[in-house]
Amino acid sequence: MAAETSKDPWKTREVRFANLNESRDAVNDPDFLESFFKGWSTTLDAVDASPQLARCCTKFARDVANQGNGVNVLMIGETGAGKSLLVKVMTGDDGVRVCATSAGTVKEERFTTESRLNFVDTPGFKLPLSPEEASLENISWWTRQRDQFTWSRWIAKISSMITSCDLKKRPLVVLYCHRGSSRIIPQRMLEIFKIPHHAEVPLIVALTDVCSVDDEALKAQKSSLQGIITDLGPNISGHNATLIAVNSEEKTVRGHKYKTTGVKELTEEIFNSLRPIHALQLLTHSYFAAKPSAGAKSSG
């Protein structure tokens, strides 16, 4: 580990790695998130000790730190955006199935790591055109209605995962993947981005396979995505979504060999997005029991 990661990152608020191998070592280090989980528990201890929060139950939030649960990163994006490949490269796990066909991931899968940073890989979807764009491109009424129905179901599914009571699904970070050569539809992306953003779940946008487009097109893609993030604005806590350009694997395009880039930075951003204070988002309300006051006597 580099000097930056040998300290307690959840006090210094800074995780930095020297290279991709080092970031993979952290992802697979059973002790790397220990200080985060300690901070998580300390936050919940303060809730339990507060008379003002007597009806807040911390059990659900505490279960995050239990073996078998941990920190979930929800991977969402269009089919073929490279979600599974990113999981494979970030973890160094060659067992992660990567599909090069248009079908992509067909069912939800959860990939666990030794550090208890887990990746929930979801099937991809298709971003429908906005009503205005569909009208301009002469898309039929029937097709528009079908696409809107399918899209509404995806929005509902993502919303349910963000607030899930299943700790093997509920994310503490959302990673949206968009392929560099894919069309950007601002209205639809904004609809998705608002879901985790309004729920105070950190949102990271990964622009993947950046070597698939030329420099001018890549610049335009970055500008468009950054514009959507700007329109999204900060969440209630004052944090903005972040954009990271990634080339997940070495490849040769148009006679030029491209190296793996951005994956280390993406892993850093995931770790740096984690905050023990987020434990407060998982508090539940107890209707039947109140904590005893400081001066209360035991009935025994």
Side-chain angles (χ1 to χ4, degrees):
M1 290 292 156
E4 291 86 342
T5 60
S6 63
K7 302 174 183 177
D8 180 351
W10 286 274
K11 287 183 179 178
T12 61
R13 296 299 313 128
E14 192 74 54
V15 174
R16 288 288 178 264
F17 303 113
N19 50 53
L20 177 57
N21 286 334
E22 194 173 89
S23 69
R24 285 175 175 168
D25 287 343
V27 168
N28 293 291
D29 180 356
D31 298 322
F32 190 76
L33 282 173
E34 277 306 304
S35 62
F36 167 76
F37 288 123
K38 286 179 181 177
W40 185 273
S41 295
T42 299
T43 300
L44 297 174
D45 288 343
V47 172
D48 284 336
S50 172
Q52 290 80 13
L53 299 174
R55 291 194 176 275
C56 288
C57 180
T58 61
K59 183 182 183 306
F60 181 66
R62 286 189 187 279
D63 284 345
V64 168
N66 290 348
Q67 200 68 31
N69 292 322
V71 174
N72 295 324
V73 179
L74 178 61
M75 313 282 291
I76 57 176
E78 290 186 271
T79 302
K83 300 183 293 294
S84 301
L85 180 58
L86 263 182
V87 174
K88 178 180 178 179
V89 178
M90 281 192 285
T91 61
D93 183 357
D94 290 332
V96 177
R97 292 187 295 276
V98 177
C99 187
T101 68
S102 59
T105 299
V106 295
K107 66 177 183 178
E108 182 183 304
E109 294 189 71
R110 184 174 186 258
F111 299 96
T112 61
T113 69
E114 289 296 317
S115 68
R116 286 185 285 167
L117 179 73
N118 311 307
F119 297 89
V120 181
D121 191 12
T122 61
F125 47 76
K126 178 183 178 182
L127 285 175
L129 295 174
S130 67
E132 295 76 17
E133 290 171 313
S135 178
L136 289 173
E137 296 195 12
N138 294 318
I139 305 296
S140 72
W141 179 88
W142 169 250
T143 300
R144 278 183 281 167
Q145 294 301 113
R146 181 201 63 194
D147 290 348
Q148 183 58 43
F149 174 75
T150 303
W151 181 242
S152 296
R153 292 186 64 183
W154 270 112
I155 291 293
K157 179 178 175 61
I158 294 169
S159 297
S160 68
M161 293 189 74
I162 296 294
T163 58
S164 176
C165 292
D166 183 352
L167 289 176
K168 287 181 169 52
K169 293 183 178 181
R170 179 123 173 196
L172 291 187
V173 179
V174 170
L175 178 56
Y176 182 90
C177 299
H178 181 80
R179 190 180 180 90
S181 57
S182 296
R183 182 173 183 174
I184 290 176
I185 304 177
Q187 179 180 326
R188 299 307 190 187
M189 289 182 169
L190 203 54
E191 288 178 42
I192 293 180
F193 292 178
K194 284 179 179 178
I195 299 171
H197 207 57
H198 289 172
E200 301 269 332
V201 178
L203 170 66
I204 304 170
V205 180
L207 179 59
T208 64
D209 199 23
V210 294
C211 66
S212 63
V213 294
D214 60 34
D215 291 346
E216 197 64 31
L218 177 59
K219 183 179 179 181
Q221 289 281 73
K222 286 182 178 179
S223 177
S224 295
L225 288 173
Q226 192 59 59
I228 298 170
I229 290 173
T230 299
D231 290 341
L232 183 66
N235 62 17
I236 297 173
S237 299
H239 296 111
N240 292 289
T242 54
L243 172 65
I244 297 178
V246 176
N247 189 47
S248 302
E249 60 181 352
E250 288 188 3
K251 60 173 63 176
T252 301
V253 179
R254 297 182 295 274
H256 182 80
K257 187 174 183 179
Y258 292 86
K259 296 182 178 180
T260 299
T261 56
V263 179
K264 173 186 77 74
E265 291 77 10
L266 182 58
T267 307
E268 291 171 347
E269 185 61 30
I270 290 172
F271 280 128
N272 285 323
S273 295
L274 300 177
R275 298 180 178 87
I277 195 68
H278 288 161
L280 299 180
Q281 298 172 9
L282 275 67
L283 296 178
T284 56
H285 194 80
S286 174
Y287 293 95
F288 304 105
K291 298 170 189 171
S293 61
K297 294 182 179 180
S298 166
S299 60

